[in-house]
Amino acid sequence: MQPTRARTLRKRWRKRAVANWPLRRLAKRIKVMETKISEIAEGIYRLSTYVSDIAPPAGFTFNQFLVLGDEPLMFHTGLRKMFPLNRDALNRIIEADRLRWIAFGHFEADECGAMNEWLALAPQATPAHGQTGCMVSLNDFADRAPRVMNDNETIDLGGKRIRFIDTPHTPHGWDAGVLYEETTRTLLCGDLFTQLGNERAMTDGDVVGPAIAAEDIFKYSSLNPGMGSTIRSLSKLAPRTLALMHGPAFVGDGAAALEALADDYDRRLSDLVRVGRI
Ligand SMILES: [Fe+2]
Ligand SMILES: [Fe+2]
């Protein structure tokens, strides 16, 4: 090869390598990431992927939940770029095309970014979300028409029964809601109680202190006057398990944890009112 031609090719390769660097870095990172599976309540599985680059050195987890029944439901789709990881993990529990329902807490990439990938993989699956979310996002975004769920409406999954509860703007998102699985008393609480780290899949320890610390760091909640009472109303369900999207699943007195979290949000609001910020 002519020296000039070799030089041009080397230059071109270097240019491409630089341009593709973020992609190669992500691909490398995804290759080393793994999705761990734990059963957090009877027939409810947590699929958890830890990302050490977010909020280092503690890192951050992204969790999806599979609720098994005659009509299996997945809560959260995971990020679109994590789809291969989550698909492979789910396939270790059931064949992904058996999924019948895809639900999530609010419209955001980690909650529903991979929805259409899942819908393509599971031809019988239907996305399900609250009225606001369907009206403002899913009717356009989802490749298949969504099932609109009213506040407190239930779906019988055959062996499991889930209830959709509207929690607008709590912790964020106009369309926000949570799912409650009645037979196991598991509250799939999405971003509520978000915390850093990846110490274990389940805990019976403190989930409120780490959630307060994460709120101080991320400031991810849309503080609003109804927030405390919205969270407090969930405590009436007396959940036995709180399935956190970002953190471990908590087993214990879910009502007390929800009340303590509600109190902390009330405190944040009163602090802002006192200093005239709202
Ligand atoms: Fe969120
Ligand atoms: Fe989230």
Side-chain angles (χ1 to χ4, degrees):
M1 192 184 298
Q2 296 290 325
T4 338
R5 168 96 179 117
R7 240 197 329 268
T8 313
L9 284 176
R10 260 203 310 274
K11 237 180 176 175
R12 200 177 292 163
W13 179 85
R14 228 177 288 138
K15 215 170 151 188
R16 258 189 222 150
V18 169
N20 288 334
W21 183 76
L23 283 179
R24 285 191 292 115
R25 200 174 57 158
L26 180 71
K28 203 170 152 196
R29 217 188 290 153
I30 284 179
K31 220 180 268 176
V32 296
M33 275 194 247
E34 59 168 329
T35 299
K36 291 186 175 163
I37 300 171
S38 330
E39 190 174 11
I40 58 155
E42 200 200 332
I44 302 185
Y45 293 84
R46 173 184 184 262
L47 282 62
S48 181
T49 309
Y50 172 65
V51 182
S52 57
D53 290 3
I54 299 177
F60 199 63
T61 52
F62 292 89
N63 306 322
Q64 278 74 244
F65 297 94
L66 170 69
V67 181
L68 281 188
D70 296 341
E71 299 185 3
L73 172 144
M74 190 170 63
F75 191 62
H76 311 139
T77 72
L79 293 161
R80 194 165 56 88
K81 284 180 179 152
M82 280 186 189
F83 174 67
L85 276 174
N86 287 319
R87 177 201 55 208
D88 294 350
L90 191 93
N91 270 322
R92 302 210 298 268
I93 312 169
I94 58 166
E95 284 165 13
D97 62 5
R98 275 190 54 209
L99 277 178
R100 292 294 299 274
W101 298 101
I102 293 170
F104 56 95
H106 50 275
F107 194 80
E108 201 171 24
D110 57 336
E111 268 79 8
C112 67
M115 175 186 299
N116 289 327
E117 280 77 359
W118 286 108
L119 291 178
L121 193 65
Q124 297 190 71
T126 301
H129 196 29
Q131 285 181 315
T132 307
C134 291
M135 179 180 69
V136 302
S137 300
L138 284 204
N139 285 339
D140 178 65
F141 176 80
D143 282 347
R144 204 166 299 143
R147 155 82 179 265
V148 181
M149 296 195 74
N150 296 315
D151 185 28
N152 267 308
E153 190 176 341
T154 57
I155 296 180
D156 192 339
L157 304 179
K160 293 275 186 300
R161 188 179 163 89
I162 55 102
R163 177 179 297 275
F164 178 82
I165 302 164
D166 268 325
T167 63
H169 300 292
T170 301
H172 51 239
W174 181 21
D175 61 321
V178 294
L179 275 196
Y180 182 58
E181 201 293 301
E182 295 181 342
T183 68
T184 57
R185 288 173 43 204
T186 299
L187 185 66
L188 301 156
C189 56
D191 286 348
L192 287 173
F193 295 99
T194 284
Q195 63 173 260
L196 275 62
N198 183 35
E199 273 173 33
R200 58 203 131 182
M202 296 179 77
T203 182
D204 57 4
D206 180 24
V207 277
V208 182
I212 291 172
E215 179 67 56
D216 288 341
I217 294 169
F218 293 133
K219 299 190 175 15
Y220 67 92
S221 296
S222 307
L223 292 181
N224 66 83
M227 200 161 177
S229 61
T230 302
I231 297 173
R232 212 167 278 114
S233 69
L234 297 174
S235 73
K236 295 194 179 72
L237 299 165
R240 201 158 40 200
T241 302
L242 300 171
L244 279 58
M245 182 182 195
H246 308 288
F250 168 76
V251 183
D253 188 345
L258 285 157
E259 276 165 29
L261 187 70
D263 289 348
D264 186 66
Y265 279 118
D266 282 348
R267 174 193 63 80
R268 286 174 195 277
L269 272 157
S270 344
D271 287 352
L272 290 173
V273 170
R274 201 175 47 248
V275 297
R277 297 265 310 273
I278 49 173

